[in-house]
Amino acid sequence: MIDFGSRFSPAPDATMLPDTGEPGFGIYVHWPFCAAKCPYCDFNSHVRHKPVDQERFVAAFLREMETMRQLSGAKVVTSVFLGGGTPSLMNPQTVGAILDGIARFWHVPDGIEITMEANPSSVEAERFRGYRAAGVNRVSMGVQALNDRDLKFLGRLHDVADALKAIRLAREIFPRMSFDLIYARPNQTVDEWEKELVEAISYAVDHLSLYQLTIEEGTAFYGLHKAGKLIVPDGDQSALLYEATQEITARHGMPAYEVSNHAMPGAESRHNLTYWRYGDYAGIGPGAHGRLTKGGTKLATATERHPETWLEAVERDGHGILDQEVLGVEEQSDELLLMGLRLREGVDLARWSDLSGRDLDPDKEDFLLQHGFIERIGNSRLRCTPSGMLILDSVVADLAC
């Protein structure tokens, strides 16, 4: 175990604009390349055995930004997220060029949250310092487990020693950091998970993303699970693990502010809050999705998923957008409800009523209230209870009808 010294001392330049509670406007940039494809992953990630032409991709990102700027109009950016894939495979110069491009097309105030995802296996101190110099002030690490057995099972390229080294570097260099863990792994007990979670919290993180292992179609795990060669915890055991997660994180000052995300007060992910508060965001890069409002019209955008096909489309047409759909009132109100009920702060009912043109069905609301699945926060907000979070999709379906 590495001695982190004063474990909760953040980097010295930790000043960041406070959360205003507004949805904001985010920029998401998708870097689609990974060193290896994890067996549980259904994200748009691709392995290339030859070096990626980063300069060519940067030029394409900038061209697509110009198109997205035309769709969004002038906006003040409240967060930037570099996701993937594995963005920490990018050169710092690539990251700098992307962030410079965003500042060219939109207004980017000083002190906004700029997050980059990173994998411990691709971390080097010089590279991390280069990202920080480029403007990244928050890093999200794909740790996934804190024992080597399960890291191997999850197909990760790093071991625990790599993970702890990366965490230490991130704490030294970035004002804020988060890391991901996957639980409900095969044969995982509640006691094992509680110890692992307490260890994770001890590493001076201010944010944790804690996901239950799900078997997604199209992944390597899906075939194994279907063949009976991969057994994951059943519903009852998964519920116990979830409940332990809520109890441990709350006890250590990192309560859930969303179904799978936990943070110290003030350290919530501003970018992800934009999604969950149903704000607008521009999605740039292969397979990126966006929500853009201009002139009273809300557009859903989605780009070509295959990296090289996207690249050719951008070079030819100025963008890789495959789908551009105008969302109707019902679709928008359903999305607002779906996203907002994921949050501990809940949904602003006045905003939902203004958008949908109606109030919630009182009989359905009363049913869910009486069974302890939802609760009112004053007269203006509605949220799921911890019990309701376990059946979130059903709660949303009942309220949206």
Side-chain angles (χ1 to χ4, degrees):
M1 191 72 65
I2 294 175
D3 181 7
F4 285 80
S6 181
R7 290 189 168 184
F8 285 90
S9 298
D13 53 349
T15 302
M16 197 171 292
L17 292 177
D19 175 25
T20 64
E22 296 297 316
F25 175 70
I27 304 289
Y28 176 82
V29 179
H30 190 76
W31 183 257
F33 302 109
C34 283
K37 185 75 172 180
C38 295
Y40 58 85
C41 177
D42 70 337
F43 293 163
N44 186 39
S45 59
H46 304 261
V47 177
R48 296 292 179 263
H49 299 294
K50 294 182 180 180
V52 174
D53 187 340
Q54 295 195 27
E55 290 186 5
R56 188 179 172 195
F57 269 89
V58 165
F61 284 137
L62 299 182
R63 287 202 66 188
E64 191 162 79
M65 283 180 202
E66 185 174 5
T67 297
M68 294 299 178
R69 168 61 174 80
Q70 292 169 3
L71 292 176
S72 73
K75 297 279 188 179
V76 176
V77 177
T78 53
S79 65
V80 176
F81 197 99
L82 306 176
T86 306
S88 53
L89 293 175
M90 285 190 280
N91 297 326
Q93 296 89 338
T94 300
V95 173
I98 290 170
L99 296 180
D100 287 346
I102 293 170
R104 187 188 317 161
F105 292 110
W106 294 277
H107 177 58
V108 180
D110 291 338
I112 69 163
E113 176 189 276
I114 300 177
T115 301
M116 187 178 74
E117 292 183 333
N119 278 343
S121 57
S122 61
V123 165
E124 298 173 2
E126 184 177 352
R127 188 179 291 256
F128 259 21
R129 291 191 177 93
Y131 298 144
R132 182 71 190 99
V136 175
N137 54 21
R138 181 177 181 272
V139 66
S140 179
M141 306 278 294
V143 173
Q144 313 307 6
L146 288 173
N147 68 76
D148 288 338
R149 177 201 64 203
D150 285 351
L151 286 172
K152 185 176 180 180
F153 160 74
L154 293 168
R156 306 299 287 167
L157 298 180
H158 64 274
D159 58 19
V160 172
D162 293 330
L164 297 184
K165 176 184 175 184
I167 291 168
R168 180 178 60 184
L169 284 171
R171 291 310 304 159
E172 291 174 357
I173 295 168
F174 296 99
R176 288 174 54 198
M177 77 159 295
S178 173
F179 66 76
D180 299 355
L181 291 175
I182 295 173
Y183 67 99
R185 306 187 292 257
N187 301 314
Q188 187 178 40
T189 68
V190 171
D191 183 61
E192 288 172 338
W193 172 234
E194 287 179 342
K195 290 176 180 177
E196 187 172 357
L197 189 50
V198 169
E199 180 184 354
I201 293 169
S202 77
Y203 293 139
V205 295
D206 52 34
H207 186 286
L208 287 170
S209 296
L210 307 171
Y211 303 108
Q212 290 197 28
L213 177 62
T214 56
I215 307 300
E216 304 290 350
E217 191 168 355
T219 65
F221 275 179
Y222 180 81
L224 292 172
H225 182 66
K226 194 172 182 180
K229 297 179 180 179
L230 173 58
I231 308 298
V232 296
D234 61 20
D236 289 342
Q237 179 68 4
S238 294
L240 290 174
L241 290 163
Y242 174 81
E243 289 165 1
T245 302
Q246 309 316 303
E247 193 277 324
I248 293 290
T249 53
R251 191 199 317 157
H252 287 82
M254 297 183 69
Y257 69 97
E258 188 267 346
V259 175
S260 301
N261 286 272
H262 304 254
M264 293 181 179
E268 299 84 358
S269 168
R270 311 288 165 73
H271 188 81
N272 287 339
L273 283 172
T274 293
Y275 297 152
W276 297 320
R277 289 170 175 164
Y278 203 48
D280 277 11
Y281 54 97
I284 297 154
H289 291 252
R291 292 291 185 275
L292 300 171
T293 303
K294 186 178 181 183
T297 298
K298 188 132 187 165
L299 292 176
T301 63
T303 59
E304 163 64 48
R305 290 172 58 86
H306 185 265
E308 287 76 19
T309 305
W310 172 86
L311 184 62
E312 292 170 1
V314 175
E315 291 175 340
R316 182 183 64 246
D317 304 324
H319 64 84
I321 299 172
L322 285 183
D323 295 307
Q324 185 174 309
E325 178 187 0
V326 176
L327 297 177
V329 168
E330 185 174 347
E331 292 167 305
Q332 291 184 55
S333 57
D334 285 352
E335 287 189 343
L336 189 155
L337 196 63
L338 173 65
M339 302 303 278
L341 284 176
R342 297 179 64 91
L343 287 169
R344 183 63 180 159
E345 71 185 28
V347 171
D348 181 338
L349 290 176
R351 184 184 176 203
W352 184 84
S353 294
D354 288 344
L355 180 58
S356 65
R358 61 188 175 93
D359 294 324
L360 293 175
D361 184 313
D363 292 334
K364 291 178 179 178
E365 182 181 352
D366 285 345
F367 175 84
L368 293 169
L369 284 167
Q370 290 172 13
H371 284 78
F373 296 133
I374 59 173
E375 60 187 0
R376 286 270 187 162
I377 311 172
N379 294 319
S380 61
R381 303 190 77 86
L382 185 78
R383 69 182 176 193
C384 280
T385 63
S387 296
M389 286 294 189
L390 291 170
I391 56 167
L392 178 62
D393 289 345
S394 297
V395 171
V396 172
D398 283 350
L399 290 173
C401 292

